[in-house]
Amino acid sequence: MPHLGDHLSRLYSIWPWPADPWSEEGRRRYEESIKKFHSLLEHDWLSRQVSDKKTVRILDICGGTGIGGVALGKVLSSRGLGVELTVVDLRREALEVAERFGTEELGSVRVEIADATKLWELGVQADLALIYGFSTPHFNPWDMVRLLSSIADSLSDDGVLIIEEADRTYTIFYLRGYKEWLAEDVGEDRLFVTVHAGYDFRKGVFRRAAVELLKGVGPISHEVRLWDLAGVMALAWAFFQDVDFVPEERPWSGFVLARAPRRKLGAADFVQTPKALSEEKEG
């Protein structure tokens, strides 16, 4: 079985996502991200978090090429704060971009190839943790518990987790309807589709196969958990003292905020694989 990082690298090599910060599309996404964080930092949890600090430590999780973390760091630095940014991802080539881009924009950045559900192994402590770019579908409910516990362990007592999130129960199952075949990106030089390939009842994930038809690349199988906002917020509430949601233009998309880790349960409590998965059977 290929390493997860290699698998994700292959998947994102054909996925139509604006990840190159020097491309026109990527630069536009970066500038839009800066505007979003300027507004988000007016939230009282975040404004209080940075008001008494000279330097803010940011942990950008599933950070890829660093657009989200660097944008947040850029906003904080524009307010006269020092920034210590760590970008974590499983894809080496993405982190190489993040390192170059972060250095250009902020002066320095730390990058780490690491499993997001095992952040505690890095020994990083942060004031703000960020999951940007709608990355939660990569995590089934079991892994989401591990992810959130790991993040809570990596945050300061008054730390805040920021998750860019959307309600897929509403947008996919109600507004659009789940599709066995879905044209994700169509253009003169691209025809990218995903195809239903199964469902795992124990993990709670759909399996889909990604194919770039014009380039003849794929199928690349991947698992997705179609999270709703309430599900993510409720799980976050188990590990943090309070949770809030800041919508953007549409009420079903915006930022989940979770503040102050409870520390009742930690990442070490979820290392063992539960029996339901160790004896996993496909449904």
Side-chain angles (χ1 to χ4, degrees):
M1 182 176 181
H3 185 272
L4 180 57
D6 295 335
H7 178 76
L8 289 171
S9 293
R10 185 165 177 249
L11 178 63
Y12 276 98
S13 70
I14 64 171
W15 200 278
W17 185 251
D20 180 357
W22 299 289
S23 69
E24 181 179 350
E25 192 177 17
R27 189 71 192 183
R28 184 164 57 248
R29 180 178 168 230
Y30 174 57
E31 292 171 353
E32 289 172 354
S33 301
I34 288 176
K35 293 178 183 178
K36 289 181 181 181
F37 288 127
H38 267 299
S39 176
L40 187 64
L41 284 171
E42 298 305 313
H43 191 283
D44 58 339
W45 292 357
L46 294 171
S47 61
R48 286 201 310 266
Q49 171 65 296
V50 304
S51 63
D52 61 346
K53 293 180 172 61
K54 293 183 179 179
T55 299
V56 179
R57 301 166 297 175
I58 304 170
L59 182 58
D60 186 4
I61 303 152
C62 304
T65 58
I67 287 177
V70 173
L72 178 56
K74 195 74 172 178
V75 172
L76 291 170
S77 65
S78 73
R79 300 185 180 194
L81 295 165
V83 172
E84 294 179 2
L85 172 63
T86 300
V87 182
V88 176
D89 202 277
L90 283 171
R91 295 170 291 145
R92 182 182 302 276
E93 72 283 357
L95 289 177
E96 288 173 352
V97 173
E99 187 169 30
R100 178 185 163 199
F101 180 54
T103 300
E104 287 182 0
E105 295 292 312
L106 301 175
S108 66
V109 62
R110 173 184 175 186
V111 298
E112 293 282 355
I113 299 175
D115 184 335
T117 65
K118 299 178 181 179
L119 294 172
W120 50 275
E121 293 181 346
L122 297 177
V124 174
Q125 282 292 298
D127 304 300
L128 301 176
L130 175 67
I131 301 176
Y132 192 70
F134 304 101
S135 297
T136 58
H138 285 303
F139 299 92
N140 66 50
W142 306 93
D143 283 337
M144 181 61 78
V145 168
R146 286 174 166 150
L147 173 67
L148 291 170
S149 64
S150 188
I151 293 171
D153 280 1
S154 301
L155 280 172
S156 58
D157 288 343
D158 59 348
V160 179
L161 167 62
I162 304 167
I163 307 174
E164 187 183 27
E165 188 59 305
D167 196 312
R168 297 165 191 85
T169 297
Y170 183 72
T171 58
I172 292 177
F173 290 104
Y174 176 70
L175 290 183
R176 183 173 64 188
Y178 182 80
K179 306 293 185 182
E180 291 199 19
W181 285 78
L182 184 63
E184 303 272 5
D185 193 38
V186 179
E188 292 183 359
D189 60 347
R190 63 192 182 280
L191 180 52
F192 177 76
V193 302
T194 60
V195 186
H196 177 76
Y199 185 81
D200 189 316
F201 294 96
R202 297 198 181 208
K203 288 184 178 179
V205 293
F206 287 92
R207 295 194 190 92
R208 293 190 71 86
V211 186
E212 172 47 75
L213 293 174
L214 296 187
K215 297 178 181 177
V217 180
I220 302 171
S221 179
H222 61 286
E223 296 180 345
V224 289
R225 168 70 177 187
L226 300 178
W227 285 100
D228 61 306
L229 285 170
V232 172
M233 290 191 287
L235 282 178
W237 191 38
F239 296 99
F240 292 84
Q241 294 178 26
D242 206 354
V243 178
D244 197 7
F245 178 65
V246 181
E248 294 189 280
E249 295 179 5
R250 298 168 179 172
W252 58 83
S253 180
F255 290 95
V256 172
L257 302 180
R259 64 167 293 275
R262 292 182 186 273
R263 309 210 189 284
K264 302 293 185 181
L265 292 170
D269 295 299
F270 303 102
V271 172
Q272 184 176 346
T273 300
K275 188 176 178 63
L277 293 186
S278 61
E279 297 180 356
E280 185 181 341
K281 297 178 182 178
E282 295 185 7

